Amino acid sequence: MISLRIDDTPVQAKPNWTILTAARAAGIRIPTLCHLDALRPVGACRLCLVEIRNWNGRLVPACATPVQEGLDVVADSDRLASLRRTILELLFAERNHICAFCVSNGHCELQDLATELGMDHVTFPYRFPALAVDASHAKFGIDPNRCVLCGRCVRACSEVEGAFTWGFAGRGVHTLIEADLGEPWGQSTTCTGCGKCVQACPTGALFEKGKATAEQVKRPALLAEVTERRPRA
Amino acid sequence: MRRIQVLLCSGTACQSSGSERVKRALLDALTAHDLLPEVQLVDTGCMGPCELGPVLLVYPEGTFYVKVQPDDAAEIVIEHFLKGRPLRRLLWAEGAPQPHEIPFFARQRKLVLRNCGTIDPEKIEEYIASGGYEALGRAVTSMTPTEVVAAISRSGLRGRGGAGFPTGTKWELVRVAAGVPKYVVCNADEGDPGAFMDRAILEGDPHSILEGMAIAGYAVGASRGYVYIRAEYPLAIQRLEVALAQARKLGVLGQRIFETDFSFDIELRMGAGAFVCGEETALIASIEGRRGEPRPRPPYPATSGLWGKPTLINNVETYANVRHILLDGPEAFASVGTEKSKGTKVFALAGKVRNTGLVEVPMGITLRELVFDIGGGVPTGREFKAVQIGGPSGGCLPSSLLDVPVDYDSLSQHGAIMGSGGVIILDDATCMVNMARFFLQFTADESCGKCVPCRVGTQMMLAILDRIVAGEGKEEDLQRLREIGEMMKNASLCGLGQTAPNPVLSTLRYFPAEYEAHIRDRSCPAGVCPNLVRYRIDPDACRGCDACRRACPTGAAQGTAGAPPYQIVDERCIRCGACFDACPFDAVRKEPR
């Protein structure tokens, strides 16, 4: 076992754990968005940034940083809270997250995080991009206006389903999630229609057709349930 | 009997100004005078003074000709090669000085560029004649890997890619890392605007990189190396390919090098031109065939790099230093430079400076020496304003900091970085806000989009700067820029996002008045930002030639031919500058509004 401190609490961790795993095992909450159990960590959303006191106060993503003996981790501080609120604000300003019109209203991870972290208004100018919805698939739809580019769908599709339908296209603020290198989703020849991407999506970007807002409750934990039942190699 | 040797620069800069045509014309002229047996023409790598190209250096005298055109060839052959007197009008300076007498060269100290401009980069024999592959031979036959790493550590060499990590420490981390196979990677994804150091080394002395990588392979226990080079460098790629083929043929790469048990070979990987692929983890992803995006570190490539294996990644210039450390000894290398920054550094001088081009100087030289003694200062009629060092990750230093020594620590202490070595000199006609905006536009375009702070933060800063240069800035914008900048520095995933605010933060630090003028007075003191300038015709200088009226797309420039002065109606003016460019008498004036 490895010993470290998180928010001045001594924590024991297995050598292959990340700081996030160790924190959760010790009952310490660290907000996450791009992280999902069963998927490889990418450290992209930066909401789980924690401060390492004995690395000169460097900020690292808890989800992707392996534990080390003697780490002195700050997971909750005014500095981190303000940083996380700013990151959420940037996400809200980036695309069109208008909860009142969204199928995920009331069960959206982005919305929940805003509530939890006290992000009650956006001080950045909204960018209001006009992005086309793809409703060509028989069962599902994708609305990039609500996408936070966490890549959970991409990883669910490649790492759990093994279909490799989803990928990133473009770069920077123009990045989009695309099926089969830009085909309409409904014409994808690789998509198995399993819906794991939809369950993995933290917002209303990926949704099931024919379901009302109240019914559109996602089960991101499904991914871990699926992989844990698989025989280990 | 060869009595004259002509070194003809065939770097990219001289090629674009026509060195190939000059070469053909020289060959024609030599043939016409039956001089081919007596005069040897050698294509070399970059000699440095790129703005003066095509350049050629004639030995044995060491006569340096600049801006040579094909039409000059016959005259050079007759006057110089036949009659034996230098062609005065093409000399760099009066009195036919030798290169070491010209200030541009005299203040330089060439180590990694020593072969650039003196040997033919496509001939391995010339490289070997200059001591090439001797260091590799020495390393594999008479040194242990530990001894090689120790020599690099003792030399004090630090990574030339920008961050300045101690090279010996990095090599040792990979050497002791568990896992096989190990890989050696050369980062040749040079992408800073205005930087062309690595390109010149690869074009002018490709074998020095291959040798450095092979020595590194021996030291860390790798048998395979990759050069990740941008596809926009076709000449460098071609010369590397030639060099690789020659090195394999002579057995300095491949199986059982120097008849030892050490085997090492190198492959080229072409990058598609994403700036972020210069970041080591993104570079690894790109070599592996994945989307060029960085990943969080740790784990560092030294323990988990290419295909999850221990990987050594160094920059081109870092590898180019390696053979000199082994040949001259680490102590000799460490005798040059400052306490914490050893050796030399290659800089690409660009912008408003008389001698643009490539220079190599000892670490610790002051910015003043770099810009004025070597660079020749700002061209006549303008004042020096600032030097932008380190590219889009770097910062701007004002004239009050010209005596800062050029080393890793001094530069970062003042808000700039050594970076890869791009140095852009700015004169008083440069608007610092507009310049910061330019670099931020670059990083915003090049952000991969993976992490939120960089992807959206660059856009938000850019939006504010767009507003300021348009004359619509608000008082609180400056504080906002600082806040977003600090957030990006701390929270971004990789070096691109962490350093992207630097051009803005450093100009805010040293040129706050310029931002304030844009915001409070709606004025651009340098007269650059289109919305904040006004065009006016000087009635005394106007001759009524009608050129401005014909150039003006909106009818703002008005007047009657032959009846000066003309006028510009400000309300109709869209500030395109067409009249300014068209006026043959400099009567159109650009003024802050």
Side-chain angles (χ1 to χ4, degrees), chain A residues 171-223:
Chain A
R171 69 180 177 210
V173 79
H174 306 293
T175 308
L176 289 174
I177 304 293
E178 278 189 355
D180 284 4
L181 301 173
E183 288 293 313
W185 192 1
Q187 286 169 31
S188 166
T189 52
T190 58
C191 177
T192 63
C194 73
K196 290 187 180 70
C197 54
V198 179
Q199 299 306 326
C201 178
T203 69
L206 289 167
F207 55 88
E208 280 184 70
K209 286 182 171 176
K211 276 193 175 174
T213 301
E215 301 167 302
Q216 196 81 231
V217 181
K218 292 180 178 174
R219 279 181 58 204
L222 177 84
L223 280 300

Side-chain angles (χ1 to χ4, degrees), chain B residues 13 44 68 101 141-142 151 198 213 220 228 315 347 364 366 385 408 417 420 424 444 458 472 474 477 580 586 590:
Chain B
T44 72
V68 181
E101 295 162 336
T141 56
S142 63
D198 296 347
M213 289 178 70
V220 303
Y228 186 84
N315 155 273
F347 289 101
T366 64
K385 183 168 187 176
Y408 292 98
I417 60 164
S420 52
I424 301 173
T458 48
E472 292 155 14
K474 294 181 250 174
D477 281 346
F580 185 81
D586 290 334
K590 193 160 70 167

Side-chain angles (χ1 to χ4, degrees), chain B residues 88-433:
Chain B
R88 296 173 66 105
R89 65 181 177 86
L90 292 177
L91 291 173
W92 176 310
E94 270 305 302
Q98 303 249 323
H100 63 83
E101 295 162 336
I102 300 170
F104 176 80
F105 292 109
R107 302 298 295 265
Q108 295 193 46
R109 182 157 184 150
K110 295 211 175 189
L111 188 68
V112 307
L113 291 181
R114 195 178 283 168
N115 281 341
C116 289
T118 53
I119 67 165
D120 183 337
E122 299 198 8
K123 293 209 171 86
I124 191 171
E125 294 80 7
E126 297 203 5
Y127 179 67
I128 290 171
S130 79
Y133 290 108
E134 196 183 326
L136 174 63
R138 238 186 249 180
V140 298
T141 56
S142 63
M143 291 173 87
T144 65
T146 323
E147 284 168 350
V148 176
V149 174
I152 302 297
S153 294
R154 273 210 311 283
S155 75
L157 176 65
R158 293 169 67 173
R160 299 296 195 242
F165 190 81
T167 307
T169 310
K170 199 186 245 186
W171 286 29
E172 179 65 8
L173 286 170
V174 181
R175 192 187 72 78
V176 300
V180 281
K182 295 178 183 175
Y183 296 102
V184 167
V185 175
C186 173
N187 184 348
D189 192 52
E190 179 177 56
D192 288 1
F196 45 96
M197 299 73 53
D198 296 347
R199 168 189 221 151
I201 299 171
L202 291 163
E203 288 176 358
D205 198 12
H207 285 286
S208 68
I209 307 304
L210 305 185
E211 184 177 6
M213 289 178 70
I215 293 168
Y218 176 72
V220 303
S223 57
R224 178 151 294 271
Y226 292 92
V227 180
Y228 186 84
I229 181 167
R230 49 199 337 238
E232 292 97 321
Y233 282 2
L235 186 62
I237 292 169
Q238 176 205 321
R239 291 197 175 146
L240 271 176
E241 277 168 349
V242 170
L244 276 172
Q246 292 172 342
R248 289 191 192 115
K249 195 169 169 203
L250 291 194
V252 286
L253 284 182
Q255 297 296 313
R256 300 187 48 79
I257 292 169
F258 288 97
E259 295 175 354
T260 63
D261 289 336
F262 175 61
S263 299
F264 190 79
D265 209 341
I266 295 172
E267 276 182 48
L268 302 187
R269 284 287 185 274
M270 263 67 97
F275 182 64
V276 74
C277 287
E279 197 280 342
E280 58 181 12
T281 59
L283 184 150
I284 288 172
S286 181
I287 292 182
E288 290 175 353
R290 294 184 288 119
R291 183 178 157 93
E293 279 184 350
R295 63 156 176 80
R297 303 171 302 178
Y300 286 89
T303 52
S304 177
L306 208 49
W307 295 292
K309 302 297 181 186
T311 302
L312 176 74
I313 302 189
N314 282 135
N315 155 273
V316 170
E317 196 183 331
T318 314
Y319 285 122
N321 274 297
V322 168
R323 75 184 188 104
H324 298 289
I325 293 171
L326 294 197
L327 282 184
D328 308 342
E331 287 72 23
F333 182 88
S335 69
V336 177
T338 64
E339 192 197 338
K340 287 183 175 168
S341 303
K342 302 295 188 190
T344 60
K345 178 77 191 89
V346 183
F347 289 101
L349 296 183
K352 301 299 168 57
V353 63
R354 210 166 267 142
N355 308 324
T356 59
L358 208 66
V359 302
E360 182 173 359
V361 296
M363 293 273 193
I365 185 174
T366 64
L367 281 171
R368 188 184 301 280
E369 290 172 283
L370 185 61
V371 174
F372 288 90
D373 297 350
I374 296 174
V378 174
T380 329
R382 287 288 174 188
E383 288 287 314
F384 172 88
K385 183 168 187 176
V387 49
Q388 209 286 343
I389 185 160
S393 305
C396 280
L397 301 181
S399 52
S400 60
L401 293 177
L402 271 173
D403 292 310
V404 165
V406 177
D407 62 59
Y408 292 98
D409 311 290
S410 307
L411 288 177
S412 62
Q413 190 192 326
H414 291 96
I417 60 164
M418 178 78 84
S420 52
V423 175
I424 301 173
I425 289 94
L426 309 170
D427 67 13
D428 57 358
T430 313
C431 167
M432 303 310 282
V433 185

